Amino acid sequence: MTLAAIAVNFNPFTSPASPKLTQSSTPSSTTINPLKINTHENPQFSWKHGSFLTHSNSDKLAKNWMEYQGINNWEGLLDPLDDTLRSEILRYGQFVEAAYRSFDFDTSSPTFGSCKFSKNSLLTRSCIRETGYKPIKNLRATCGIQLPGWIDRGPSWVSTQSSWVGYVAVCQDKEEIARLGRRDVVVAFRGTATCLEWLENLRATLTSLLDDVPNVDSNGGGAMVESGFLSLYTSGNASCPSLQSMVREEIGRVLEAYGDEPLSLTITGHSLGAALATLAAYDINSNFGNAPPVTVISFGGPRVGNQSFRCQLEKRGTKILRIVNSDDLITKVPGFVIENNDMAVNVAGLTSWVQKRVEEAQLVYADLGQELRLSSKECPHLSKGGVASCHELSTYLELVNGFVGSNCPVRATAKRVLGEHHRKKTGTFVVCR
């Protein structure tokens, strides 16, 4: 049994009742930054320097943009990785990078948990080159855990309940709209950054997603998602509305303003942000009958929901591309993945008693959407990194940038692998580009 596949169901404080989507290890006081990118030390990770990201053939993208947004589930584009798709994945990854760079991680600062930059300057001041996109909405997430009164006597960063988690941006540049073949709207989310977000992550049991919409699968089970993620998405307080209400309100405005032209909604995030992106995509497709194509590009995301949730996503036409590092433990939690109710397939070795307890504990998850699987071990200078480095956004972007296909995983090794294979047959060399 793989221990990494088991999540801790731990709630140190009294938590509220399971939240609903309706129709209308604890971190220290040191700064937490899952990105760990410094523009000067790692210039290849910034659009500012132009060496990490290059635009794909504009005609190909403009003519086939729906294919690259997943209308055919990226069939034939993932292995080997299509260069245009690679460029699009990296482009959306940079929007997530901007969310990290804009967040105030300084726990000693009175503005901890907020966005360091104004909305209009968010992309430029986070060292992102001219994108053609304009941020139109800041997004905040609120923890739903009820804290004991004595927590207020501790440092303020411990009890920060609401924090800036991302933004909505709309493509406004005519040339970029022409290159993309449509007007694109991006919703970008950062990963876990505050103490209470970490605690929400640990609420690993599944909870019902909706109680007023038919969401029952063929086995009689309803759509369920991870309790902590749903709490962060649906919780609000007197000073801050829920992330759910902010997303719905802004998407409603976008559809009213641009609904009569070719439009796409691309929701992207890393780690916790990938989970929130999935919930936001489901919510949009569930509440807007006139929604344009909704696509999720997730980096290093944990499991989010059960088999019925996956069926509901597919039924609503939500397209999800999960970029997964095989060496990243976060992508293996929470819970267990069980296909077709066959425990022996994915949880070999468990006794029938344990299997039953897993089901009763609401820890049976399902992998969502399509997967682009990468591996740090295949990249020479990343293979020696630790557990934490396997989860960093910078690692994911570098792996995507270097990935060729399952037969030649990374460009640096692909030259050798394909070269040796071709030399045996013809005596000449072939180089992966």
Side-chain angles (χ1 to χ4, degrees):
M1 177 175 68
T2 303
L3 293 180
I6 303 177
V8 179
N9 180 24
F10 171 69
N11 188 354
F13 304 119
T14 302
S15 60
S18 297
K20 306 290 183 181
L21 274 174
T22 62
Q23 293 294 324
S24 43
S25 118
T26 303
S28 67
S29 59
T30 56
T31 298
I32 306 166
N33 190 341
L35 183 63
K36 294 185 180 178
I37 289 180
N38 182 288
T39 303
H40 302 292
E41 295 177 0
N42 300 289
Q44 70 269 33
F45 294 118
S46 176
W47 283 355
K48 179 178 178 181
H49 299 269
S51 60
F52 184 63
L53 179 67
T54 57
H55 280 316
S56 54
N57 183 287
S58 58
D59 290 337
K60 184 178 181 182
L61 178 58
K63 292 178 180 177
N64 303 287
W65 69 266
M66 294 190 72
E67 184 177 353
Y68 288 105
Q69 288 294 107
I71 191 171
N72 294 319
N73 296 315
W74 296 280
E75 183 176 352
L77 299 176
L78 298 177
D79 193 9
L81 182 59
D82 179 90
D83 282 336
T84 299
L85 179 58
R86 181 201 318 278
S87 180
E88 286 297 278
I89 293 173
L90 293 174
R91 188 170 69 88
Y92 288 117
Q94 300 293 330
F95 284 110
V96 182
E97 179 183 341
Y100 274 118
R101 291 186 173 188
S102 300
F103 184 78
D104 188 349
F105 283 93
D106 184 2
T107 55
S108 64
S109 169
T111 59
F112 168 71
S114 65
C115 182
K116 296 187 294 184
F117 313 125
S118 69
K119 183 175 63 179
N120 291 335
S121 65
L122 189 156
L123 291 178
T124 54
R125 294 196 63 188
S126 58
C127 300
I128 302 299
R129 69 162 180 79
E130 179 57 46
T131 63
Y133 287 72
K134 178 183 178 181
I136 60 172
K137 180 72 174 181
N138 283 315
L139 301 173
R140 297 180 68 85
T142 300
C143 171
I145 294 176
Q146 300 300 309
L147 300 174
W150 55 261
I151 203 71
D152 293 333
R153 297 195 292 269
S156 60
W157 59 266
V158 174
S159 57
T160 300
Q161 283 200 296
S162 296
S163 59
W164 186 86
V165 73
Y167 60 93
V168 181
V170 178
C171 186
Q172 302 282 27
D173 183 76
K174 291 182 179 179
E175 290 185 4
E176 183 68 358
I177 291 173
R179 189 187 75 84
L180 296 175
R182 85 282 186 189
R183 187 187 298 273
D184 186 44
V185 179
V186 167
V187 183
F189 295 110
R190 61 162 175 80
T192 307
T194 71
C195 180
L196 295 186
E197 287 171 0
W198 282 103
L199 293 179
E200 289 282 31
N201 290 345
L202 295 176
R203 297 174 61 190
T205 55
L206 291 159
T207 189
S208 295
L209 189 61
L210 293 171
D211 58 359
D212 56 349
V213 174
N215 265 337
V216 179
D217 60 22
S218 58
N219 296 316
M224 305 179 79
V225 296
E226 203 254 23
S227 301
F229 302 153
L230 186 60
S231 174
L232 284 169
Y233 187 67
T234 59
S235 297
N237 54 40
S239 61
C240 183
S242 69
L243 175 58
Q244 176 191 59
S245 64
M246 285 186 279
V247 168
R248 289 184 182 181
E249 181 180 2
E250 201 57 35
I251 294 303
R253 289 187 184 134
V254 166
L255 295 181
E256 184 176 352
Y258 307 111
D260 60 348
E261 59 183 274
L263 187 68
S264 63
L265 299 179
T266 309
I267 312 179
T268 185
H270 169 250
S271 193
L272 167 64
L276 295 177
T278 303
L279 292 178
Y282 176 90
D283 196 31
I284 291 169
N285 268 337
S286 298
N287 288 276
F288 294 94
N290 60 336
V294 178
T295 301
V296 175
I297 306 294
S298 80
F299 299 88
R303 296 167 184 155
V304 179
N306 64 357
Q307 174 75 21
S308 182
F309 179 61
R310 179 171 71 182
C311 292
Q312 292 298 323
L313 285 166
E314 294 171 352
K315 180 180 178 181
R316 287 165 169 75
T318 306
K319 302 301 180 180
I320 299 176
L321 179 58
R322 292 183 300 110
I323 295 88
V324 174
N325 181 355
S326 295
D327 308 303
D328 180 3
L329 293 180
I330 298 300
T331 64
K332 298 177 174 65
V333 297
F336 297 90
V337 170
I338 303 168
E339 298 290 347
N340 300 320
N341 294 321
D342 184 3
M343 281 283 185
V345 173
N346 289 288
V347 200
L350 290 184
T351 65
S352 58
W353 182 87
V354 174
Q355 294 174 10
K356 185 177 180 180
R357 297 290 84 78
V358 168
E359 291 180 319
E360 291 176 349
Q362 302 294 354
L363 287 171
V364 179
Y365 284 74
D367 288 327
L368 310 175
Q370 302 301 309
E371 179 181 273
L372 174 60
R373 183 163 288 274
L374 313 170
S375 175
S376 294
K377 293 179 181 178
E378 300 291 349
C379 189
H381 65 283
L382 293 176
S383 60
K384 296 180 181 180
V387 174
S389 66
C390 290
H391 184 59
E392 291 172 7
L393 178 61
S394 58
T395 297
Y396 273 86
L397 297 182
E398 186 161 355
L399 288 174
V400 170
N401 190 48
F403 181 73
V404 177
S406 58
N407 292 328
C408 42
V410 181
R411 294 185 193 190
T413 58
K415 296 179 181 180
R416 174 179 54 80
V417 172
L418 290 187
E420 292 177 354
H421 176 75
H422 193 71
R423 186 171 66 244
K424 291 179 180 179
K425 288 191 172 183
T426 66
T428 59
F429 287 90
V430 172
V431 176
C432 277
R433 295 182 179 179

